mmCIF file of all heavy atoms in Angstrom:
data_model
loop_
_atom_site.group_PDB
_atom_site.id
_atom_site.type_symbol
_atom_site.label_atom_id
_atom_site.label_comp_id
_atom_site.label_asym_id
_atom_site.label_seq_id
_atom_site.Cartn_x
_atom_site.Cartn_y
_atom_site.Cartn_z
ATOM 1 N N THR A 320 2.463 29.302 14.321
ATOM 2 C CA THR A 320 1.552 28.168 14.160
ATOM 3 C C THR A 320 2.305 26.845 14.049
ATOM 4 O O THR A 320 1.982 25.872 14.742
ATOM 5 C CB THR A 320 0.681 28.353 12.902
ATOM 6 O OG1 THR A 320 0.204 29.696 12.911
ATOM 7 C CG2 THR A 320 -0.475 27.397 12.893
ATOM 8 N N LEU A 321 3.324 26.807 13.227
ATOM 9 C CA LEU A 321 4.020 25.527 13.009
ATOM 10 C C LEU A 321 4.693 25.013 14.281
ATOM 11 O O LEU A 321 4.528 23.823 14.603
ATOM 12 C CB LEU A 321 5.028 25.656 11.870
ATOM 13 C CG LEU A 321 4.403 25.582 10.484
ATOM 14 C CD1 LEU A 321 5.483 25.482 9.430
ATOM 15 C CD2 LEU A 321 3.473 24.391 10.380
ATOM 16 N N PRO A 322 5.437 25.840 15.013
ATOM 17 C CA PRO A 322 6.060 25.298 16.237
ATOM 18 C C PRO A 322 5.003 24.771 17.213
ATOM 19 O O PRO A 322 5.250 23.820 17.935
ATOM 20 C CB PRO A 322 6.790 26.495 16.815
ATOM 21 C CG PRO A 322 7.067 27.379 15.655
ATOM 22 C CD PRO A 322 5.899 27.189 14.729
ATOM 23 N N LEU A 323 3.833 25.426 17.237
ATOM 24 C CA LEU A 323 2.792 24.985 18.167
ATOM 25 C C LEU A 323 2.169 23.657 17.716
ATOM 26 O O LEU A 323 1.587 22.950 18.524
ATOM 27 C CB LEU A 323 1.677 26.042 18.257
ATOM 28 C CG LEU A 323 1.996 27.228 19.147
ATOM 29 C CD1 LEU A 323 0.862 28.231 19.089
ATOM 30 C CD2 LEU A 323 2.239 26.776 20.587
ATOM 31 N N SER A 324 2.259 23.365 16.413
ATOM 32 C CA SER A 324 1.529 22.167 15.949
ATOM 33 C C SER A 324 2.478 21.031 15.586
ATOM 34 O O SER A 324 2.145 20.186 14.766
ATOM 35 C CB SER A 324 0.637 22.531 14.768
ATOM 36 O OG SER A 324 1.305 23.365 13.897
ATOM 37 N N LEU A 325 3.639 21.021 16.202
ATOM 38 C CA LEU A 325 4.587 19.945 15.902
ATOM 39 C C LEU A 325 4.011 18.526 16.093
ATOM 40 O O LEU A 325 4.237 17.663 15.258
ATOM 41 C CB LEU A 325 5.867 20.105 16.746
ATOM 42 C CG LEU A 325 6.887 21.061 16.138
ATOM 43 C CD1 LEU A 325 8.133 21.137 16.985
ATOM 44 C CD2 LEU A 325 7.266 20.662 14.729
ATOM 45 N N PRO A 326 3.250 18.298 17.197
ATOM 46 C CA PRO A 326 2.692 16.935 17.336
ATOM 47 C C PRO A 326 1.790 16.551 16.174
ATOM 48 O O PRO A 326 1.869 15.441 15.660
ATOM 49 C CB PRO A 326 1.887 17.012 18.637
ATOM 50 C CG PRO A 326 2.400 18.212 19.336
ATOM 51 C CD PRO A 326 2.920 19.166 18.321
ATOM 52 N N ALA A 327 0.956 17.528 15.727
ATOM 53 C CA ALA A 327 0.082 17.229 14.600
ATOM 54 C C ALA A 327 0.873 16.969 13.341
ATOM 55 O O ALA A 327 0.592 16.071 12.549
ATOM 56 C CB ALA A 327 -0.902 18.369 14.394
ATOM 57 N N LEU A 328 1.943 17.772 13.153
ATOM 58 C CA LEU A 328 2.778 17.577 11.970
ATOM 59 C C LEU A 328 3.395 16.183 11.986
ATOM 60 O O LEU A 328 3.517 15.531 10.953
ATOM 61 C CB LEU A 328 3.865 18.643 11.893
ATOM 62 C CG LEU A 328 3.383 20.061 11.591
ATOM 63 C CD1 LEU A 328 4.567 21.016 11.542
ATOM 64 C CD2 LEU A 328 2.641 20.095 10.285
ATOM 65 N N ALA A 329 3.813 15.745 13.203
ATOM 66 C CA ALA A 329 4.417 14.414 13.309
ATOM 67 C C ALA A 329 3.413 13.353 12.909
ATOM 68 O O ALA A 329 3.720 12.436 12.140
ATOM 69 C CB ALA A 329 4.929 14.187 14.727
ATOM 70 N N SER A 330 2.180 13.471 13.433
ATOM 71 C CA SER A 330 1.142 12.478 13.089
ATOM 72 C C SER A 330 0.912 12.444 11.606
ATOM 73 O O SER A 330 0.874 11.393 10.975
ATOM 74 C CB SER A 330 -0.183 12.834 13.773
ATOM 75 O OG SER A 330 -0.041 12.827 15.142
ATOM 76 N N VAL A 331 0.725 13.642 11.024
ATOM 77 C CA VAL A 331 0.410 13.700 9.598
ATOM 78 C C VAL A 331 1.580 13.132 8.784
ATOM 79 O O VAL A 331 1.362 12.345 7.850
ATOM 80 C CB VAL A 331 0.113 15.152 9.188
ATOM 81 C CG1 VAL A 331 -0.029 15.252 7.682
ATOM 82 C CG2 VAL A 331 -1.151 15.622 9.849
ATOM 83 N N SER A 332 2.819 13.486 9.150
ATOM 84 C CA SER A 332 3.968 13.007 8.409
ATOM 85 C C SER A 332 4.033 11.487 8.433
ATOM 86 O O SER A 332 4.214 10.828 7.394
ATOM 87 C CB SER A 332 5.259 13.544 8.998
ATOM 88 O OG SER A 332 5.227 14.916 9.070
ATOM 89 N N LEU A 333 3.849 10.923 9.634
ATOM 90 C CA LEU A 333 3.892 9.460 9.774
ATOM 91 C C LEU A 333 2.828 8.809 8.905
ATOM 92 O O LEU A 333 3.072 7.821 8.204
ATOM 93 C CB LEU A 333 3.637 9.102 11.216
ATOM 94 C CG LEU A 333 4.878 8.853 12.053
ATOM 95 C CD1 LEU A 333 4.500 8.648 13.476
ATOM 96 C CD2 LEU A 333 5.605 7.640 11.517
ATOM 97 N N TYR A 334 1.644 9.400 8.953
ATOM 98 C CA TYR A 334 0.536 8.815 8.234
ATOM 99 C C TYR A 334 0.780 8.887 6.733
ATOM 100 O O TYR A 334 0.560 7.894 6.011
ATOM 101 C CB TYR A 334 -0.729 9.566 8.614
ATOM 102 C CG TYR A 334 -1.947 8.993 7.955
ATOM 103 C CD1 TYR A 334 -2.268 7.659 8.145
ATOM 104 C CD2 TYR A 334 -2.743 9.780 7.148
ATOM 105 C CE1 TYR A 334 -3.362 7.135 7.521
ATOM 106 C CE2 TYR A 334 -3.830 9.256 6.526
ATOM 107 C CZ TYR A 334 -4.149 7.934 6.715
ATOM 108 O OH TYR A 334 -5.210 7.392 6.094
ATOM 109 N N VAL A 335 1.268 10.020 6.268
ATOM 110 C CA VAL A 335 1.543 10.178 4.838
ATOM 111 C C VAL A 335 2.683 9.246 4.425
ATOM 112 O O VAL A 335 2.625 8.613 3.355
ATOM 113 C CB VAL A 335 1.916 11.650 4.529
ATOM 114 C CG1 VAL A 335 2.456 11.784 3.122
ATOM 115 C CG2 VAL A 335 0.711 12.537 4.706
ATOM 116 N N PHE A 336 3.683 9.149 5.295
ATOM 117 C CA PHE A 336 4.795 8.232 4.988
ATOM 118 C C PHE A 336 4.265 6.821 4.814
ATOM 119 O O PHE A 336 4.624 6.107 3.893
ATOM 120 C CB PHE A 336 5.814 8.279 6.125
ATOM 121 C CG PHE A 336 7.063 7.497 5.855
ATOM 122 C CD1 PHE A 336 8.156 8.082 5.242
ATOM 123 C CD2 PHE A 336 7.151 6.153 6.213
ATOM 124 C CE1 PHE A 336 9.298 7.362 4.982
ATOM 125 C CE2 PHE A 336 8.279 5.422 5.948
ATOM 126 C CZ PHE A 336 9.377 6.022 5.334
ATOM 127 N N MET A 337 3.362 6.435 5.700
ATOM 128 C CA MET A 337 2.809 5.085 5.627
ATOM 129 C C MET A 337 2.055 4.880 4.314
ATOM 130 O O MET A 337 2.227 3.859 3.653
ATOM 131 C CB MET A 337 1.883 4.838 6.808
ATOM 132 C CG MET A 337 1.363 3.433 6.905
ATOM 133 S SD MET A 337 0.108 3.316 8.174
ATOM 134 C CE MET A 337 -1.353 3.426 7.177
#
Side-chain angles (χ1 to χ4, degrees):
Chain A
T320 314
L321 281 189
L323 281 177
S324 44
L325 276 182
L328 290 180
S330 299
V331 172
S332 306
L333 264 174
Y334 182 58
V335 169
F336 186 90
M337 185 188 98

